[in-house]
C-alpha cells in the first residue's frame, strides 16, 4: 500500500487561506525558531519545504475544514521512492493568525518529525510498548500538549487535563487495528471548543477515527469557561517481531 496520499484536482483556494508557499514560509520560520539551524539550506518550492538533508514538509490539497485550514504532510526521507513514507496532520488558524497555526504544527507534528530525525528526546518524548503512556506493539514518539484559547489559565488547565487523561494509552484498543503503516502512524489528539460545545477528535494517518473519537468523548474531560483548544501528536512505529530496533526510514 502506498503511504503518499494522492488526490485528484486542487480546489480553488479560500480568500482566507494563505497560498501554500506563504504558509510554508511561516512553518519554516517556526521550525527555525524551535530548532535553530534545522532549516539551513531548505528551499521553498512548489507546494513543499525541501531540506538538503532529505526531509520535506508539503501542503496537501484541503479536503476538510474551512478557509483557515491547512493540511500538511511530513516526509522524513524523500529518497525512499516511489512511495515516500509520510505522515499527515492538519491545523487551523483559529485566531486568524496563520503563524499561530504554523507554530501549533511545529510544536506537535513538527516536533515528532524533528525527534524522528534526531532521536535524543530534545523535541518529543519516547514511550515503549510496556510504558504506562505507551501503545502496545508500538514505539511512540509523543509531542507535548499545545493550548490555544482566550485565557492563558484555561489553556494550561486543559493542557494538564489532556496530559493526565493519557488518551493514547487508555484508548489504544479502539484504533490499534488501523495502524497499518510499516514505517510510522501519525495520530493526532484534539480537544477544544466553547463551553457546552466541545469536540473530541482522534485522527489516525490523517483520517478522523470515529470509534476512538467517541471513546475520547466518554472520558469526561473538563470544559473551559471560554473558547480553548488543546492538541498533541504522536508517531507510532511498529515494534519488530525479532526485538530489534523499530524500522525508521
Amino acid at each position: 500500500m502506498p503511504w503518499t496520499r494522492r488526490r485528484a484536482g486542487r480546489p480553488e483556494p479560500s480568500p482566507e487561506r494563505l497560498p501554500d508557499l506563504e504558509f510554508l514560509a511561516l512553518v519554516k520560520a517556526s521550525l527555525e525558531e524551535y530548532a535553530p539551524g534545522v532549516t539551513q539550506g531548505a528551499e521553498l518550492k512548489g507546494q513543499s519545504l525541501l531540506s538538503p538533508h532529505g526531509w520535506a514538509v508539503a501542503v496537501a490539497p484541503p479536503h476538510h475544514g474551512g478557509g483557515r485550514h491547512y493540511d500538511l504532510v511530513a516526509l522524513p526521507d524523500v529518497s525512499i521512492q516511489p512511495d515516500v513514507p509520510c505522515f499527515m496532520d492538519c491545523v487551523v488558524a483559529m485566531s486568524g493568525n496563520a503563524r499561530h497555526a504554523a507554530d501549533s504544527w511545529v510544536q506537535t507534528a513538527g516536533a515528532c518529525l524533528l525527534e524522528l530525525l534526531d532521536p535524543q528526546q530534545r523535541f518529543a518524548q519516547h514511550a515503549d510498548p510496556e510504558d504506562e503512556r505507551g501503545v502496545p506493539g508500538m514505539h511512540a514518539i509523543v509531542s507535548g500538549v499545545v493550548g490555544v484559547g482566550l485565557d492563558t489559565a484555561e489553556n494550561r488547565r486543559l493542557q494538564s487535563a489532556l496530559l493526565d487523561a493519557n488518551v493514547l494509552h487508555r484508548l489504544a484498543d479502539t484504533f490499534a487495528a488501523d495502524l497499518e503503516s510499516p514505517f510510522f502512524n501519525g495520530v493526532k489528539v484534539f480537544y477544544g471548543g466553547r463551553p457546552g460545545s466541545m469536540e473530541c477528535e482522534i485522527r489516525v494517518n490523517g483520517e478522523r477515527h470515529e470509534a476512538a473519537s467517541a471513546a475520547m468523548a466518554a472520558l469526561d474531560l473538563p470544559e473551559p469557561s471560554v473558547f480553548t483548544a488543546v492538541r498533541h501528536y504522536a508517531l507510532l512505529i511498529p515494534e519488530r517481531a525479532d526485538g530489534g530496533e523499530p524500522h525508521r526510514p
Side-chain angles (χ1 to χ4, degrees):
M1 178 183 293
W3 295 106
T4 302
R5 296 176 184 271
R6 302 178 176 89
R7 293 188 175 91
R10 264 183 102 79
E12 287 298 315
S14 163
E16 293 184 310
R17 191 175 185 278
L18 290 181
D20 292 348
L21 284 186
E22 287 187 27
F23 185 70
L24 284 172
L26 297 179
V27 169
K28 180 181 179 182
S30 186
L31 278 169
E32 187 61 29
E33 183 176 303
Y34 193 69
V38 74
T39 66
Q40 184 174 0
E43 295 183 312
L44 294 164
K45 186 181 298 183
Q47 283 84 43
S48 301
L49 170 64
L50 302 169
S51 168
H53 300 292
W55 59 265
V57 180
V59 178
H63 68 289
H64 71 281
R68 297 174 178 177
H69 182 278
Y70 300 88
D71 288 288
L72 295 177
V73 183
L75 306 101
D77 188 351
V78 298
S79 70
I80 301 176
Q81 296 289 340
D83 295 315
V84 185
C86 64
F87 58 93
M88 297 187 66
D89 190 21
C90 54
V91 287
V92 180
M94 296 180 183
S95 65
N97 188 326
R99 176 59 192 263
H100 291 168
D103 289 345
S104 291
W105 183 86
V106 166
Q107 294 167 25
T108 52
C112 290
L113 171 64
L114 294 173
E115 187 63 27
L116 184 69
L117 296 171
D118 184 18
Q120 299 184 48
Q121 302 203 57
R122 292 192 298 148
F123 306 108
Q125 297 298 308
H126 293 250
D128 291 327
E130 65 275 9
D131 290 348
E132 63 179 11
R133 303 190 73 85
V135 173
M138 299 282 162
H139 178 85
I141 297 176
V142 187
S143 79
V145 178
V146 172
V148 177
L150 299 176
D151 182 84
T152 301
E154 289 292 74
N155 290 349
R156 291 174 179 167
R157 185 169 74 91
L158 261 66
Q159 284 174 283
S160 295
L162 189 62
L163 185 64
D164 292 344
N166 198 6
V167 172
L168 290 173
H169 178 77
R170 291 173 65 185
L171 304 185
D173 61 342
T174 66
F175 60 79
D178 297 306
L179 301 176
E180 299 175 336
S181 170
F183 296 106
F184 35 69
N185 297 269
V187 179
K188 180 177 77 171
V189 178
F190 172 88
Y191 178 60
R194 295 173 175 79
S197 181
M198 297 296 288
E199 179 182 3
C200 294
E201 182 178 71
I202 293 178
R203 286 187 171 268
V204 176
N205 292 326
E207 303 294 337
R208 178 180 171 91
H209 198 286
E210 295 297 343
S213 299
M216 183 180 169
L219 295 179
D220 197 27
L221 291 164
E223 288 196 358
S225 59
V226 294
F227 175 84
T228 311
V230 291
R231 54 176 275 150
H232 71 100
Y233 198 87
L235 285 181
L236 302 181
I237 304 168
E239 291 283 293
R240 284 173 44 177
D242 61 8
E245 285 294 308
H247 179 77
R248 299 180 179 91

